[in-house]
Amino acid sequence: MKKTAAVGIVLAALSGVRAAAPVNYTQHYTWKNVRTGASGGFVTGIVFSPKQKGVAYARTDIGGLYRLNSDDSWAPLQDYVNNTLWNEHGVDAVALDPNDASRVYIAAGIYTNSWDPYNGKIMSSTDYGKTWSRANFPFKFGGNMAGRQMGERLAVDPNKGSILYFGARSGNGLWKSSDYGKTWAKVTSYTAVGTHIVDPGDSGQNGDIIGLTFIAFDSTSSAAGTASKRIFVGTADSSATVYMSEDSGATWSAISGQPTGFLSHTGKYSPTEKALYVSYVDNANTYGGGDGYVYKYYVESKTWVKILDDNGTGFGFGGLTLDPQKNGTVMVTTYHQWWPDGNIYRSLDGGATWTTIWDFDWSGVQPPVKRRYDWDISQATWLPEITGDKTTGWMMGSIAINPFDSDHFLYGTGATIFGSHKLTNWDKNEKFTLSSLSYGMEETAVLGLTSPPQGPHLLSVVGDVGGWRHDNLDVAPSKAFLTPSWGTTRSIDHAGSRPNIVVRSGDGEGGLALSNDTGATWHIHASAGSWNGGRAQLSSNGDFVVWAVNNGLYVSANEYPFEKVPNIPSGSYTTANDRNHNGLFYAAENSNFYVSTNAGTTYTKKTSSIGYIREIGVNPFRAGDVWIATDTGIWHSIDSGNTISRVGPATDAYHVQLGKSATSNGYPAIFAAATIQGWAGHYRSDDGGYTWTLISDDSNGFGTPGNNIYAADPRTYGRIYIGTNGRGTFYGDASATSPVPTAADAYGQCGGQGFNGPKACPHGYTCKVSNAYYSQCL
């Protein structure tokens, strides 16, 4: 299983400047994660505080930073991320102050590619990550680039907490702060840049210079209150990969006698042994390394000793940790050992001898391994369907032993965090329990959502780990979608009048699957052929499938062979189905809006003048009622697209979906990600789209709207599901203590100092300011 890039990344942010809240009333919403029980994404770094027991952080490539709770669950720290701050969900490094547990720092930024418009920033917190200050850099960071599990490339001087060093990517070298991360300057005396590139011809994650990989201090090299004299810096450069300064960073030199031909992955310094441990791999490709070893550098004798070698077996070494309570105890993970499983090595004598978390067993067991541990995946029982049964995991880029508890360790994988509270059983040749311990860390890239009118309230599909049927939004599903089981699953949809029929498309063999029991069981569509991916949707009765794939639209009836729609040009299509009329399908490509009345067999263009079309939403309770989100706002038709008119004040919109009405005969609740009166956010309308209520807030931003996935609940008034690109799926309900806002009367008061009444006006009226004490609907 391999962690993909953030799927479908859309870099454009909603227009407008967030200078002041819109006139529209803001209704308080309660937002919760839809639980899956495990990260579902790549946990690239884990660090424990050496100062305060119980304080630890985990960083992810596209899901932000998390802090450990006392019950082994994790608390997200960056849910404020919105359309203007979305790159802060990429955490390229994390550092803690060894003498002040409240201080935490992160290097924030997702991509170094030219199509990422945002530079990186070092973010500082003095309250355990509750609030942040930012130091902006003149170049980009890469929390989702190749080599993202290396590190940590950000570190705090253990003798003088005001000093930090940061090792940059892209040839930008080493940077230093002397004022707790507020300002930074390049260390011009350090000239190595880490020139390794995974694939020089790649325009994506693998085509940039990896840069510097780790920073480590010798805390014994100076007294408290003065800058540490001895500092180590790792680079992704196989000719000279570890550099050292012995004069507090004034001068640097490559350490003599070091191994060549490999990249330094992780470096940890043992002050009691006066030795630097370094893990090596031959390639920074996130999904594969071919060779590697572990070396130890003794400072006093200035000698390097090879303490572990993979002997050319093709995996290299990645995460490395020391136990400060047990001198000479070191653990290291294999970088990418895919068969029969990833492995972890442990030594109690400074690397002289090693044992492994599993050993080969050729007695006939399958897979051929004998494990030291029992496996507990009770928090996410679906994990074996993705990772395999009893596995240690893959993409093990970070491992950490709790400095206050030698029995407690954690390591990150491409799907979860594993760990144990009985680690030292290993040393007694007794089994310990290896548990999935990432509850609360929802880190999936959501690609599709649908909320049927009966059965489970939600079905979801995601990148890398497939998807789920959510029978209880607050409890992890017992299993993932199977038969077929795909990693990245692209779309999911239910039939309007027969919601037990569900279709999903994905990247893998079969490519298209159908369910007749609302996602409980599946079979491959009889005519899927060799295609995969795309977006698939069902007719209301579930007998027709329209599949936007292979740069066109294709339709199949009753699992007969797909036929390409003949009368529309090739293109990348956005599609929607009418849940109350079996023949109605909608499609859009760029600014062209099409309607089919014969179950997707042919389409008629209705307009090309409403702007770039991003999403089509349909009223689940009324045929022919279609809504369109475009870069010019929200458009509406009540006659299946024959006439279309712009509705409401939105000037830009990414999503529009419809759910249950507040009353038995009222308008359905309409949800939109849009810019209204210059304010980009998530909104709800209860009056047909004329007035809107802001339902997102400063604590819940949901990242970039262009990467969100929307579904409205047809059974629960006010409930909206928002899928994110890295923080899983959220569901929001209107707070019971926050009444549904009503509009002021025509010509009635709508604002002013001390006014607590309705602040929205009826359709056709605008709230005009007369003075500081009175505004009126005119």
Side-chain angles (χ1 to χ4, degrees), residues 149-491:
Q149 72 273 51
M150 290 172 150
E152 296 292 332
R153 61 178 77 219
L154 177 67
V156 182
D157 190 324
N159 287 303
K160 192 171 184 179
S162 59
I163 296 176
L164 294 89
Y165 283 89
F166 172 61
R169 294 174 176 269
S170 310
N172 289 305
L174 184 66
W175 291 68
K176 178 182 178 181
S177 173
S178 297
D179 56 6
Y180 296 96
K182 295 176 183 177
T183 61
W184 292 80
K186 188 172 184 178
V187 180
T188 56
S189 60
Y190 188 92
T191 58
V193 296
T195 58
H196 175 74
I197 302 174
V198 173
D199 181 359
D202 181 49
S203 61
Q205 291 171 299
N206 292 324
D208 193 18
I209 293 173
I210 298 297
L212 310 190
T213 61
F214 74 83
I215 296 165
F217 293 90
D218 178 357
S219 61
T220 67
S221 63
S222 67
T226 61
S228 296
K229 292 181 179 180
R230 186 173 294 117
I231 313 167
F232 303 92
V233 175
T235 72
D237 188 337
S238 58
S239 60
T241 191
V242 181
Y243 291 74
M244 182 174 65
S245 173
E246 296 191 279
D247 52 13
S248 302
T251 61
W252 300 83
S253 61
I255 303 177
S256 62
Q258 66 179 288
T260 59
F262 291 78
L263 313 174
S264 61
H265 185 286
T266 301
K268 301 287 185 180
Y269 188 76
S270 170
T272 55
E273 297 179 87
K274 291 192 178 298
L276 177 72
Y277 290 82
V278 183
S279 61
Y280 288 89
V281 69
D282 65 347
N283 195 305
N285 188 333
T286 308
Y287 313 119
D291 199 359
Y293 36 59
V294 180
Y295 267 77
K296 189 175 181 180
Y297 175 68
Y298 292 93
V299 170
E300 293 182 339
S301 64
K302 298 182 180 181
T303 57
W304 289 87
V305 177
K306 183 191 291 186
I307 58 174
L308 187 60
D309 194 331
D310 72 357
N311 296 312
T313 51
F315 49 79
F317 294 99
L320 185 150
T321 186
L322 308 178
D323 185 348
Q325 292 192 10
K326 292 181 178 293
N327 190 39
T329 295
V330 57
M331 296 176 72
V332 63
T333 68
T334 54
Y335 187 83
H336 276 296
Q337 186 173 6
W338 295 92
W339 185 90
D341 196 2
N343 215 334
I344 300 174
Y345 288 72
R346 180 173 169 88
S347 174
L348 304 180
D349 52 14
T353 60
W354 297 86
T355 55
T356 51
I357 201 169
W358 61 262
D359 297 300
F360 279 104
D361 180 352
W362 302 109
S363 64
V365 298
Q366 291 296 326
V369 296
K370 180 180 180 181
R371 305 184 188 277
R372 292 183 179 273
Y373 59 86
D374 296 316
W375 210 49
D376 174 19
I377 41 85
S378 55
Q379 292 185 358
T381 56
W382 51 267
L383 270 174
E385 300 159 7
I386 305 300
T387 65
D389 191 35
K390 298 182 175 60
T391 59
T392 57
W394 24 262
M395 297 166 65
M396 297 184 291
S398 180
I399 186 170
I401 298 174
N402 188 334
F404 294 93
D405 182 357
S406 296
D407 266 319
H408 183 205
F409 88 116
L410 299 169
Y411 65 92
T413 75
T416 188
I417 289 177
F418 280 114
S420 178
H421 286 279
K422 293 291 184 181
L423 175 59
T424 59
N425 280 13
W426 182 328
D427 308 327
K428 296 176 284 189
N429 287 319
E430 297 176 2
K431 280 198 171 184
F432 60 94
T433 299
L434 189 66
S435 303
S436 172
L437 297 174
S438 60
Y439 196 83
M441 188 180 292
E442 300 291 342
E443 206 241 324
T444 52
V446 181
L447 302 181
L449 300 171
T450 192
S451 180
Q454 64 187 47
H457 275 263
L458 184 68
L459 304 170
S460 70
V461 293
V462 301
D464 300 326
V465 291
W468 303 272
R469 166 180 162 142
H470 301 278
D471 292 290
N472 186 328
L473 301 174
D474 300 318
V475 177
S478 60
K479 63 180 183 178
F481 290 148
L482 296 174
T483 320
S485 175
W486 303 309
T488 294
T489 307
R490 298 285 176 179
S491 72

Side-chain angles (χ1 to χ4, degrees), residues 484-489 505-512 524 528-533 547:
S485 175
W486 303 309
T488 294
T489 307
S505 62
D507 296 354
E509 185 178 357
L512 195 70
I524 293 176
S530 61
W531 296 343
N532 61 68
W547 196 4

Side-chain angles (χ1 to χ4, degrees), residues 488-657:
T488 294
T489 307
R490 298 285 176 179
S491 72
I492 190 162
D493 186 45
H494 71 273
S497 62
R498 299 175 66 191
N500 59 296
I501 301 177
V502 184
V503 66
R504 62 184 167 104
S505 62
D507 296 354
E509 185 178 357
L512 195 70
L514 293 168
S515 173
N516 293 315
D517 50 16
T518 328
T521 60
W522 297 85
H523 68 273
I524 293 176
H525 189 286
S527 299
S530 61
W531 296 343
N532 61 68
R535 177 183 175 89
Q537 299 208 277
L538 289 166
S539 63
S540 178
N541 292 344
D543 48 355
F544 286 85
V545 176
V546 171
W547 196 4
V549 69
N550 283 1
N551 207 36
L553 285 183
Y554 297 80
V555 61
S556 167
N558 299 309
E559 298 194 57
Y560 281 95
F562 280 91
E563 295 184 2
K564 188 173 184 179
V565 176
N567 66 325
I568 58 176
S570 297
S572 178
Y573 281 87
T574 297
T575 59
N577 58 353
D578 196 298
R579 302 202 187 279
N580 294 278
H581 188 301
N582 200 50
L584 276 177
F585 279 90
Y586 307 98
E589 198 272 336
N590 289 324
S591 60
N592 301 309
F593 180 71
Y594 300 88
V595 177
S596 172
T597 58
N598 56 4
T601 303
T602 61
Y603 285 79
T604 301
K605 184 193 290 188
K606 296 297 182 179
T607 185
S608 59
S609 61
I610 62 175
Y612 182 82
I613 298 169
R614 295 183 174 124
E615 185 168 274
I616 304 167
V618 293
N619 187 340
F621 309 107
R622 177 180 174 180
D625 190 358
V626 59
W627 298 72
I628 310 168
T630 80
D631 62 358
T632 65
I634 298 172
W635 298 75
H636 180 213
S637 174
I638 59 172
D639 56 8
S640 305
N642 290 316
T643 58
I644 304 173
S645 58
R646 191 166 176 267
V647 175
T651 56
D652 190 9
Y654 273 94
H655 302 283
V656 60
Q657 292 292 324

Side-chain angles (χ1 to χ4, degrees), residues 105 124 130 171 176 369 403 406 476 730 748 778:
Y105 302 86
S124 310
K130 295 177 184 177
K176 178 182 178 181
V369 296
S406 296
F730 288 84
L778 298 171

